[in-house]
Amino acid sequence: MLSSASRNAVFRFRSSVSLVKRTLASSSGSPPPAEGFMQGVATSKFIMATKEQALAHPELAAVKNSETQKMNYFTAVNDALATALATDDKAVIFGEDVGFGGVFRCTIGLAEKFGKERVFNMPLTEQGIIGFGIGMAAVGHTPIAEIQFADYVFPAFDQIVNEAAKYRYRSGNEFNVGGLTIRMPCNAVGHGALYHSQSPEAYFAHTPGLKIVYPRSPIQAKGFLLAAIRDPNPVLVMEPKILYRSAVEQVPVDDFVLPLGKAEVVKEGKDLTVVGWGAQLYVLEHAVQEAEKRMPGLSIEVIDLRSILPWDRETVEKSVNKTGRLLIAHEAPHTGGFGGEIAAAIQERCFLRLEAPIARVCGWDTPFPLVYEKFYVPGMIRCLDEIERVMNY
């Protein structure tokens, strides 16, 4: 006979299967777009759907008198790239298919507007793309490289980790490649399988000399991309591709930047701190809403980490000292995922304030599956289960 724990596991698995079947059955039957579509983002409280909401954000005080325009995520990326090209004569954009607009249309129209000598295609060689960018940055240009999918970045790993990240240090600050920005679409997409779904941020977070940012929405995408391009260090911009069309906001049309290395408390609470980044924020939002319905009086604080390197320890520490509990969720595998670094740092700083073990809800330690994607990613049900476990500890 099955043990009680085994029966519970089987029940949860069957419940998850039922939920997936209902979700698939309710779709229109037409194939999803290449970048997928994430339900619930349009109604998220983390989305600035009106001009008033957008311009009231304290980080946008510099453009509080700006007009706004309705943009989805990839349009906001395009707008940021156009702004960079218009304000910096040394800025260039290159990568696989970017001259045609790119797989996700992020560079559409830029070659026509700014010229093919500033927006151009590169051969299918990721190490060549990044090596070329390092060379351009070393002589004072502002190269903006696109890796078509984050999964493809690994041939360029040596160029990023051993060259770009160390260039300033090895020369005693006589030379640098701080003008280099690397964009890469990442995360699950609904049908990407092994080579179009990965979240490689933790590989690079182990590398001093780099910065890594993970925007969750169109406003964040524009502000952080412009900040990355203008930062005096090489920056990796991770763009959750499932949000390219799903996330829509009123984005200021004026030029603005957002602060790298600074997390944002997107929902205040007093009983539990929940930390995520990118598209995972919307999954956590739904899990938190359901948990607060099931447990009357429960108040959960949600933090968008936004920057992986450097990450904002102070904001997370302040929150955990208040709530006494911490849950971290990300799509990357559990072992070696960046959630482990957060958990270790907060355990060191907040040990005497913790009321329960720090929890992590992550991808499983397997290659990213195709037909089992719904069971691999840290979905709402898994996050909700872990919230309840932490609160009942």
Side-chain angles (χ1 to χ4, degrees):
M1 294 181 65
L2 291 174
S3 67
S4 176
S6 297
R7 288 196 298 272
N8 287 337
V10 170
F11 174 77
R12 285 178 178 173
F13 178 81
R14 289 174 175 170
S15 297
S16 297
V17 171
S18 176
L19 176 64
V20 172
K21 287 180 177 179
R22 290 198 302 272
T23 301
L24 294 175
S26 64
S27 66
S28 63
S30 59
E35 67 279 2
F37 187 80
M38 190 172 192
Q39 294 181 333
V41 178
T43 57
S44 170
K45 294 182 179 179
F46 304 156
I47 289 289
M48 304 292 104
T50 68
K51 176 181 178 180
E52 292 72 24
Q53 284 179 309
L55 298 182
H57 196 291
E59 291 182 341
L60 298 181
V63 289
K64 63 181 180 181
N65 296 319
S66 171
E67 292 300 316
T68 64
Q69 183 176 333
K70 187 177 181 180
M71 299 184 195
N72 61 21
Y73 197 112
F74 88 77
T75 307
V77 170
N78 183 275
D79 188 46
L81 294 173
T83 300
L85 291 170
T87 57
D88 183 352
D89 292 339
K90 294 185 177 181
V92 293
I93 299 171
F94 50 90
E96 297 164 7
D97 300 324
V98 300
F100 310 132
V103 170
F104 299 111
R105 319 314 293 158
C106 291
T107 56
I108 192 167
L110 297 182
E112 291 78 7
K113 183 175 182 180
F114 294 99
K116 294 184 178 180
E117 71 281 358
R118 297 188 68 194
V119 183
F120 49 89
N121 294 330
M122 291 286 282
L124 304 182
T125 167
E126 283 73 24
Q127 61 267 52
I129 292 171
I130 302 306
F132 179 77
I134 290 170
M136 291 202 73
V139 295
H141 287 274
T142 308
I144 306 165
E146 178 183 299
I147 299 296
Q148 195 169 78
F149 286 84
D151 314 60
Y152 300 169
V153 75
F154 298 109
F157 193 82
D158 180 66
Q159 290 290 325
I160 296 171
V161 169
N162 276 333
E163 302 299 336
K166 297 175 173 61
Y167 209 93
R168 188 191 303 273
Y169 182 83
R170 70 184 289 201
S171 70
N173 201 31
E174 287 191 31
F175 309 102
N176 71 82
V177 293
L180 175 64
T181 301
I182 305 170
R183 296 179 42 250
M184 59 182 87
C186 61
N187 293 162
V189 68
H191 51 268
L194 284 76
Y195 300 125
H196 299 81
S197 305
Q198 296 177 73
S199 306
E201 63 269 11
Y203 291 101
F204 298 103
H206 195 63
T207 308
L210 299 176
K211 292 188 177 182
I212 306 169
V213 67
Y214 234 111
R216 71 172 183 270
S217 71
I219 291 174
Q220 305 279 313
K222 179 177 178 178
F224 277 122
L225 180 52
L226 284 170
I229 292 168
R230 293 162 181 171
D231 192 85
N233 299 280
V235 183
L236 278 59
V237 182
M238 316 290 288
E239 298 171 1
K241 56 186 173 288
I242 200 167
L243 299 179
Y244 275 143
R245 295 181 187 272
S246 302
V248 180
E249 285 186 311
Q250 288 291 332
V251 180
V253 298
D254 289 353
D255 189 341
F256 68 95
V257 297
L258 293 173
L260 299 175
K262 181 65 178 174
E264 181 182 3
V265 178
V266 292
K267 177 185 179 299
E268 293 187 352
K270 60 180 178 62
D271 301 314
L272 167 66
T273 300
V274 170
V275 175
W277 49 87
Q280 190 65 32
L281 260 292
Y282 304 104
V283 177
L284 288 170
E285 181 183 27
H286 295 154
V288 165
Q289 290 171 348
E290 183 63 26
E292 290 180 339
K293 287 180 184 176
R294 293 188 181 189
M295 305 174 72
L298 178 63
S299 173
I300 301 176
E301 185 148 294
V302 181
I303 296 177
D304 180 2
L305 197 64
R306 304 198 300 184
S307 287
I308 303 297
L309 192 66
W311 69 280
D312 188 352
R313 292 170 176 81
E314 290 72 22
T315 294
V316 179
E317 178 184 358
K318 180 180 178 181
S319 177
V320 175
N321 277 330
K322 175 177 63 174
T323 65
R325 295 176 175 86
L326 173 62
L327 182 148
I328 309 151
H330 57 67
E331 286 188 17
H334 184 276
T335 300
F338 195 70
E341 172 63 25
I342 299 172
I346 295 304
Q347 185 270 343
E348 291 170 355
R349 293 169 175 237
C350 306
F351 181 75
L352 295 178
R353 300 287 296 178
L354 289 173
E355 301 290 342
I358 296 173
R360 286 184 285 163
V361 189
C362 312
W364 303 112
D365 289 339
T366 71
F368 201 104
L370 177 57
V371 295
Y372 296 117
E373 177 176 314
K374 294 290 185 183
F375 310 114
Y376 177 89
V377 296
M380 191 273 280
I381 293 174
R382 284 177 57 199
C383 292
L384 175 61
D385 285 347
E386 198 64 16
I387 289 172
E388 292 181 340
R389 188 191 71 79
V390 170
M391 294 309 304
N392 290 326
Y393 178 81

